[in-house]
Amino acid sequence: GAYQFYAAWAGDSMTTPANSTTNTINVTAAPKTSPTLTLQSSSASVTPGQTVTLSGTITPSASGSVSISQSVNGSAFTQVGTASLSAGAYSYQQAIAGPGTYQYRASFAGNDQLNAAQSAVASVSSAQAVPTPDYTMYIVGGVVVAAVALAVAYFFMKGKKK
């Protein structure tokens, strides 16, 4: 806004009152800075039910919070939570519900000094774990077959000696 000022002297017994000319100063708000918001995932590939940590920073540092949004298999991004900023850093835990491709994005709404900002997308893929075959049954079966074969061979050889 515009501010006007002048100097005034009320006078005394030896001088008369006096006023200076009026001066105007225009004050404008400092321009906002565009921050950089980062986002990374603790893992790029998980199995359903596991949790990933989504973390990042805002530079220059700010207080407040960031919104975390998620897209599943190319769907529209929807907000899944918020993370508080502490010394310009944040962290958020997200459980991966099922198989698919999950994309995450962090958003900062801005404040008096900083413009709004959005991070790049961090991707996490999730697939069902491939079960490891249990070979125990095959091993036990093989041992039993081998034992029977040895027993048959033994009795066959014993019968031939007579």
Side-chain angles (χ1 to χ4, degrees):
Y3 296 89
Q4 294 182 333
F5 65 95
Y6 65 93
W9 169 255
D12 61 18
S13 62
M14 296 181 44
T15 57
T16 60
N19 291 331
S20 70
T21 58
T22 300
N23 290 301
T24 302
I25 295 178
N26 289 311
V27 178
T28 58
K32 288 186 174 186
T33 301
S34 293
T36 301
L37 185 61
T38 65
L39 171 67
Q40 58 270 344
S41 172
S42 60
S43 182
S45 181
V46 297
T47 57
Q50 287 185 307
T51 299
V52 293
T53 301
L54 303 167
S55 60
T57 60
I58 188 165
T59 307
S61 183
S63 59
S65 64
V66 294
S67 299
I68 306 296
S69 297
Q70 170 184 272
S71 166
V72 182
N73 297 324
S75 66
F77 279 89
T78 56
Q79 185 175 334
V80 292
T82 58
S84 295
L85 286 162
S86 176
Y90 67 93
S91 181
Y92 182 80
Q93 301 287 315
Q94 178 66 35
I96 303 299
T101 300
Y102 293 77
Q103 293 184 312
Y104 295 95
R105 186 167 48 205
S107 301
F108 177 70
N111 59 25
D112 291 343
Q113 294 86 29
L114 300 175
N115 291 317
Q118 194 169 72
S119 72
V121 171
S123 294
V124 177
S125 63
S126 175
Q128 293 290 351
V130 177
T132 304
D134 184 5
Y135 294 109
T136 306
M137 190 66 129
Y138 298 112
I139 293 170
V140 170
V143 169
V144 169
V145 168
V148 170
L150 285 172
V152 169
Y154 172 75
F155 288 116
F156 181 73
M157 295 298 271
K158 188 174 182 183
K160 270 189 150 188
K161 286 187 178 183
K162 292 184 178 184

